[in-house]
């Protein structure tokens, strides 16, 4: 058995106690930290010293961070815990957005609310007390919250990227219960049921049974069929938080009964295209997304939209796009491949789809404009251009499916592109003067 050397601590180990509490906050925020890492961190700080702030930061970073996606959470909790108390009060104001205190009127950055929740969720009593803290008189505030927005309604309009751990868990439960019904399509095939289409052969058969005399006039009607739903989800670094939420929603749609879809096919893309359809058929959403994440090796990587769409059009279009499939494209449109022809691939995709709906989280900004080359190339070929940054925007997909003339924000942005010269007026997909139906 390996014997570890005794860890030498000072008589009043305030620093070690603070590091232990800092590690507990990281663990509550989702980092896999155990007692062994805490001991290693204390030993590392003892060896590296405590004279320079950057050295202290990177010493703890090396001890507690093992994945790239953990860096943002570690950085925010480090700022909260090892900075002045007013920054902690600012984070507390994010937990209570209706109270205006010392916080500035701004939105929390990525992982700030999660970090504040990890430090403030019933653990204030464990924070080591400072000996020179001055006792202040307690002030009781009576706040009337009768006019504040309900928690559920606020959650529906909250950006996925700004959600804390508990808010994201609640959002996933809501997304799992959401539905995306679709109206059936009329097939060219008919069936022998009363309808409006004359059935001449049926009429003749009835007449032959009566000696050639026509007594009844037979009719028929068209069969009803349901289209496929094809989801193309961007999982690059800028889309990772939104992709996880959308895939929770797609999993619920794929496993729900009675929504009308013939089949639900899902693909992820970043630097390469990955088919995750079979993983979404697993009933447990956590197991399904874990398997999909293991299958997609380019999660939180770069973005090559044109190359991935080319692979889809070449390898999968004929298999899954038959009989008028509806395509749901989730991406910010920021392509990193300047040599690829993104407009050509989007045009080919739109010609094989009955309806192509583009969800872009960047549309949440009021000043959004299609200035990026990738967005300008993709926009003319979509049927509807909508935002996809919160629960309410995903719930609005039902309106886009029920009304094929609902183009979302496409017409407005196409007109802006034409006015600024980004789109040529003689382009076959340019703005033609149609009004926005949203």
């Amino acid at each position: 058995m390996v014997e570890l050397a005794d860890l030498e601590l000072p008589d009043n180990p305030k620093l070690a106690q603070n590091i232990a509490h800092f590690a507990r906050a990281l663990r509550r925020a989702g980092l896999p930290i155990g007692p062994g890492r805490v001991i290693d961190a204390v030993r590392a700080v003892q060896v590296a010293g405590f004279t320079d702030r950057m050295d202290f930061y990177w010493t703890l970073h090396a001890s507690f961070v093992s994945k790239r996606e953990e860096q943002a959470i570690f950085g925010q909790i480090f700022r909260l815990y090892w900075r002045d108390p007013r920054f902690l009060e600012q984070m507390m104001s994010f937990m209570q957005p209706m109270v205006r205190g010392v916080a500035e009127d701004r939105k929390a950055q990525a992982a700030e609310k999660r970090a504040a929740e990890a430090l403030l969720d019933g653990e204030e009593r464990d924070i080591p007390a400072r000996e020179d803290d001055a006792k202040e008189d307690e002030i009781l505030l009576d706040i009337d919250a009768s006019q504040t927005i309900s928690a559920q309604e606020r959650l529906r309009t909250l950006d996925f990227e700004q959600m804390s751990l508990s808010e994201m868990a609640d959002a996933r439960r809501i997304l799992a219960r959401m539905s995306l019904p679709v109206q059936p399509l009329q097939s060219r095939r008919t069936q022998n049921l009363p309808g409006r289409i004359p059935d001449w052969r049926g009429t003749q058969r009835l007449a032959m049974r009566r000696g050639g005399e026509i007594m009844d006039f037979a009719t028929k009607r068209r069969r009803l069929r349901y289209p496929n739903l094809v989801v193309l989800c961007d999982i690059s670094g800028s889309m990772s938080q939104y992709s996880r939420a959308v895939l929770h929603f797609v999993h619920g749609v794929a496993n729900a009964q009675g929504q009308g879809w013939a089949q639900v096919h899902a693909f992820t893309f970043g630097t390469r295209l990955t088919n995750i359809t079979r993983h979404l058929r697993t009933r447990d959403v956590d197991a399904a997304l874990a398997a999909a994440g293991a299958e997609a090796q380019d999660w939180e990587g770069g973005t090559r939209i044109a190359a991935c769409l080319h692979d889809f059009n070449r390898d999968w279009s004929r298999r899954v796009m038959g009989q008028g499939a509806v395509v749901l494209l989730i991406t910010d449109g920021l392509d990193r491949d300047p040599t690829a022809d993104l407009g050509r691939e989007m045009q080919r995709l739109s010609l094989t789809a009955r309806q192509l709906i583009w969800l872009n989280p960047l549309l949440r900004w009021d000043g959004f404009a299609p200035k990026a080359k990738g967005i300008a190339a993709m926009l003319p070929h979509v049927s509807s251009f909508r935002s996809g940054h919160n629960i309410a925007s995903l719930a609005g997909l039902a309106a886009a499916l029920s009304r094929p003339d609902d183009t979302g924000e496409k017409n407005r942005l196409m007109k802006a592109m034409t006015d600024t010269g980004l789109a040529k007026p003689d382009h076959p997909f340019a703005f033609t003067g149609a009004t926005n139906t949203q």
Side-chain angles (χ1 to χ4, degrees), residues 226-230 261-265 319-327:
Y226 290 91
N228 293 341
L229 176 64
V230 180
W261 299 104
Q263 290 183 347
V264 178
H265 302 275
R319 305 184 192 183
V320 302
M321 297 286 288
Q323 301 180 348
V326 176
V327 178

Side-chain angles (χ1 to χ4, degrees), residues 40-56:
D40 292 341
V42 175
R43 284 176 173 155
V45 171
Q46 185 181 18
V47 174
F50 191 66
T51 57
D52 185 81
R53 177 180 176 84
M54 292 304 299
D55 291 343
F56 181 65

Side-chain angles (χ1 to χ4, degrees), residues 284-347:
D284 184 77
V285 61
D286 295 329
L289 295 187
E295 182 79 13
Q297 299 295 327
D298 55 342
W299 197 283
E300 296 188 357
T303 309
R304 298 174 63 242
I305 303 177
C308 295
L309 290 182
H310 174 75
D311 294 341
F312 176 81
N313 292 329
R314 181 192 61 194
D315 302 332
W316 294 99
S317 179
R318 292 186 178 181
R319 305 184 192 183
V320 302
M321 297 286 288
Q323 301 180 348
V326 176
V327 178
L328 190 61
L329 179 63
I330 301 98
T331 180
D332 53 11
L334 303 180
D335 196 5
R336 298 294 187 267
D337 190 358
T339 61
D341 192 351
L342 182 56
R344 177 183 177 87
E345 300 301 333
M346 282 293 298
Q347 181 181 11

Side-chain angles (χ1 to χ4, degrees), residues 191-196 219-221:
Q191 55 185 348
N192 295 325
L193 292 175
R196 297 183 179 181
T219 59
K220 57 184 178 180
R221 64 184 181 186

Side-chain angles (χ1 to χ4, degrees), residues 185 354-355 357 383-384 398-408 437:
L185 305 177
R354 173 174 170 263
Q355 198 172 1
I357 302 175
S383 306
S384 179
L401 292 174
S402 61
R403 296 184 300 174
D405 58 337
D406 184 3
T407 61
T437 58

Side-chain angles (χ1 to χ4, degrees), residues 68-82:
R68 183 174 60 180
E69 55 267 22
E70 299 171 357
Q71 295 179 359
I73 300 175
F74 175 86
Q76 296 295 351
I77 295 182
F78 184 90
R79 289 204 304 162
L80 262 73
Y81 190 77
W82 302 102

